[in-house]
Amino acid sequence: MDITPMTGNTKSAVNRSRRGGGSTCPGLQDCISIPSAPAKSNGPFQLPGLPYHYQDLEPYIDEATMMYHYNKHFNGYMTNVNNALQGLPSANLTQLILNPSSPSMRNNGGGFYNHGLFFRIMCKASRSEAPSKLLEDAIVQSFGTVANMKQAFANAASSRFGSGWAWLGKFLLSLDAKWITILQPGVLPSGKLGITTTSNQDTPFMNLTDQQYQYMIPFLGLDVWEHAYYLNYQNQRAAYVDAWWNIVNWSQVSYYFEQYASKNMVVPWIEE
């Protein structure tokens, strides 16, 4: 169930409780002004509600980071996409970013898609559980063990230079004809799971002339831009990556794998 973002009054109370009513800031989270929830947007896309409260991912992702990430960054990408699509009553996000029509659509459309998937595959630590049997079998077939996959993912995410994303997905020789046919030499055989990283807001099924990743259908993605973790972890990206596994919603990830990626279909995290 989607959860409505907290109101400005609630967030002010959060700030006051953090600061203890004084002017001294004991930590980075205490020195920032929490953004208000964004207003309804004009355009074909709206900001989807989160399936948890901002504070539910603590201590692994702090409440202040979630508020900024959702209300500022996620909302900013959506707003820019809507501005580029003025006059259109509806649009298909995955089709828009499959062959981006401009650098703006590549960056903002990719950012909107990537963040939407990212926020949907997290949950309270108590609900994280484990991959489904089908997904676990696919992981074991490709990596040997789930632990091996996590280590390979952590290595890729930690070594991604600059801003970008780390992905677990299904490598393909071609994407389903419903989207586009992509023939890329060197891609692992269809059906194999793998890990890749992308820079900035690129998504690994984008058909780009300057792409530097292996094409895949991702069903799990981690934001390794500093805005995703700096308040809690500063420059310790590896610690953030390691902690993040505690709040992965394996039920949702398994659903995306079984219903879409395993069938060679791009994951539509919003209804399209």
Side-chain angles (χ1 to χ4, degrees):
M1 178 182 297
D2 286 348
I3 293 175
T4 303
M6 290 197 294
T7 64
N9 290 337
T10 304
K11 282 176 271 190
S12 295
V14 169
N15 283 343
R16 288 195 299 272
S17 67
R18 282 194 179 128
R19 294 169 180 155
S23 59
T24 302
C25 297
L28 283 174
Q29 292 94 331
D30 305 284
C31 300
I32 63 175
S33 176
I34 299 301
S36 300
K40 186 174 181 180
S41 178
N42 293 319
F45 298 112
Q46 297 297 321
L47 202 64
L50 291 171
Y52 42 78
H53 293 289
Y54 295 124
Q55 69 270 27
D56 284 351
L57 305 185
E58 292 189 337
Y60 308 105
I61 297 180
D62 61 279
E63 181 181 12
T65 292
M66 281 301 303
M67 287 180 174
Y68 261 100
H69 208 170
Y70 174 85
N71 292 319
K72 290 296 185 181
H73 295 277
F74 190 27
N75 181 61
Y77 291 121
M78 180 206 67
T79 299
N80 290 337
V81 171
N82 280 339
N83 288 341
L85 300 174
Q86 285 185 351
L88 290 179
S90 63
N92 184 296
L93 181 60
T94 48
Q95 289 183 347
L96 286 171
I97 66 172
L98 194 59
N99 288 294
S101 59
S102 66
S104 177
M105 187 57 68
R106 174 179 177 175
N107 294 329
N108 292 292
F112 188 41
Y113 180 90
N114 296 349
H115 282 85
L117 183 67
F118 174 64
F119 288 132
R120 289 285 171 178
I121 61 168
M122 295 190 292
C123 64
K124 280 187 174 184
S126 60
R127 296 186 54 222
S128 181
E129 300 180 348
S132 68
K133 183 64 165 57
L134 285 175
L135 177 53
E136 182 179 5
D137 287 347
I139 291 173
V140 169
Q141 181 182 12
S142 299
F143 297 95
T145 66
V146 174
N148 287 348
M149 180 276 292
K150 289 183 177 181
Q151 186 59 59
F153 187 93
N155 292 343
S158 298
S159 61
R160 172 80 240 178
F161 183 77
S163 302
W165 292 77
W167 306 95
L168 172 66
K170 180 181 179 184
F171 284 126
L172 296 171
L173 290 173
S174 63
L175 289 180
D176 189 282
K178 177 180 179 183
W179 307 104
I180 192 173
T181 299
I182 301 175
L183 299 177
Q184 175 71 6
V187 175
L188 298 178
S190 180
K192 190 83 168 178
L193 299 189
I195 291 165
T196 194
T197 65
T198 57
S199 63
N200 300 317
Q201 295 299 343
D202 286 351
T203 307
F205 59 78
M206 284 181 173
N207 186 23
L208 304 170
T209 57
D210 63 342
Q211 65 85 18
Q212 298 178 0
Y213 49 81
Q214 292 179 300
Y215 288 112
M216 68 158 49
I217 295 177
F219 52 87
L220 179 147
L222 175 61
D223 189 347
V224 294
W225 283 64
E226 287 186 341
H227 66 242
Y229 62 88
Y230 208 83
L231 289 181
N232 249 9
Y233 300 93
Q234 289 79 60
N235 65 334
Q236 302 300 313
R237 182 191 288 181
Y240 159 67
V241 175
D242 183 60
W244 182 70
W245 291 112
N246 291 284
I247 50 174
V248 169
N249 185 341
W250 282 110
S251 176
Q252 189 66 49
V253 172
S254 298
Y255 174 80
Y256 284 155
F257 168 72
E258 293 175 15
Q259 295 298 315
Y260 297 103
S262 68
K263 301 174 182 177
N264 298 350
M265 295 176 62
V266 171
V267 175
W269 61 261
I270 55 176
E271 294 297 325
E272 297 183 319

